[in-house]
Amino acid sequence: EKVTVTLLQGETTVGTWSGITGPYIISNVAPGTYTLRVEKKGHATFTKEITVTDSNVTENVTIYLYGDINGDGMVKPNDKNILAKYLAKWPGYETLPVYDAVADLNNDNAIRPGDKNILAKHLAKWPGYETLPMA
């Protein structure tokens, strides 16, 4: 799948680059504060504010699949189990680095039991749950 990298200054798009893989080199950017946005189908969007000065800026970015709770690059039943334990506040699971953007599968800006149910249905291949997140 194609990766799209966008550099924004406020609401203004400074440039957009896309391809199968990086690295992406963005040249001739005026000093200032920008938002870096990286998108790929089926993955949570990565955004970060960056400051450009007169020297090179390097930003290593990792984007994660929706539903990939443990960040191993795959959506598997173990992700559902980890999410269930995280939601139940099992000892040791409450401190897991659960990335909100990949766990909020119904896009309501919170990680709740409904997200675990969506992930379970996705893993079980229920009709209508083929693509995450749910709109």
Side-chain angles (χ1 to χ4, degrees), residues 36-127:
L36 176 66
R37 184 173 62 210
V38 181
E39 301 169 284
K40 183 177 181 182
K41 183 180 178 185
H43 293 68
T45 299
F46 173 92
T47 58
K48 182 175 182 182
E49 186 175 284
I50 60 171
T51 301
V52 175
T53 61
D54 57 353
S55 60
N56 290 338
V57 176
T58 300
E59 188 66 44
N60 292 316
V61 173
T62 302
I63 53 176
Y64 295 96
L65 282 166
Y66 286 111
D68 180 15
I69 306 304
N70 65 2
D72 68 356
M74 297 175 279
V75 179
K76 302 180 293 192
N78 189 45
D79 293 301
K80 179 185 61 93
N81 296 336
I82 291 170
L83 184 57
K85 291 173 182 176
Y86 173 82
L87 288 165
K89 297 183 177 16
W90 278 33
Y93 283 84
E94 73 280 2
T95 60
L96 284 177
V98 174
Y99 184 36
D100 291 0
V102 300
D104 179 17
L105 299 175
N106 62 1
N107 281 322
D108 68 353
N109 297 314
I111 302 173
R112 298 187 178 136
D115 297 305
K116 178 185 62 79
N117 295 337
I118 289 169
L119 183 55
K121 291 173 182 178
H122 173 76
L123 289 164
K125 302 185 184 323
W126 279 35

